[in-house]
Amino acid sequence: VIFSNGAIKLGSITANNNGGGGVSGSGVYVNNTFLNPQPVTVTGFLTAFDNFEHGLSITSLGAVTLTNLTANNNSKSGVVINNSGGTTPYAVIITGVNMFNGNADTGLSIDSRGAITVSNVTAIWNGNGSTSSDVGVNLVNNYNALVPQNVTLTGYNSFLHNAQYGLAIVSYGAVTLSNITANDNGNFTINDFGNGAYINNAGGSLA
């Protein structure tokens, strides 16, 4: 657990089997929302398996830059990132190769006022169907229609067997996707519906 007034930088982290037995616990929990916007950075890799809550949880007012995330079999979501609490948009960027598999809720959730860029994602068997938010990857940045922020997926991206949507994007900006495979999603929801990919960028201003 990290609370800070400043920038946070982590490198090559393994965080497995935290919490349980009546004790809450994410693999890595980071919060630096207390003063001015400061960045959060993960270099090298981050691995988080079998944690009682999220694999990785980041709450920030600044830019978030991560690489090579693996978050599997966590009792809530694999990775949750929220840097939407400020007034200035800061980007969320995830590079490298990233896997979010077998988590009880969403594999990867990003809520941001800034642009979102994610590369080489695999999200398989996320969600247990108990809520309508059981999604492989959920990306949201529709905060200011007058200053739309883009969403970009690069590399090769697979979304398979997730409880509701494989990939869900809600944005006011341009959405650019690369090499998407989204099969067999939406079979385990409480309402028995879902799609391989759900994308909504209506409501923004056109360039």
Side-chain angles (χ1 to χ4, degrees), residues 121-124 156-160 162 179-182:
V121 171
T122 300
I124 301 174
Y156 290 85
N157 303 280
S158 297
F159 311 94
L160 310 173
N162 297 288
N179 300 306
I180 301 295
T181 302

Side-chain angles (χ1 to χ4, degrees), residues 46-49 55-56 69-74 77-79 98-103 107 126:
L46 185 144
T47 300
F49 289 179
L56 168 64
L69 305 180
T70 304
N72 296 343
N73 302 318
N74 296 287
S77 294
V79 173
N98 304 282
M99 292 181 287
F100 314 99
N101 300 330
N103 300 288
N126 294 288

Side-chain angles (χ1 to χ4, degrees), residues 153-174:
L153 269 66
T154 64
Y156 290 85
N157 303 280
S158 297
F159 311 94
L160 310 173
H161 307 293
N162 297 288
Q164 191 184 24
Y165 302 114
L167 169 65
I169 298 174
V170 181
S171 179
Y172 287 138

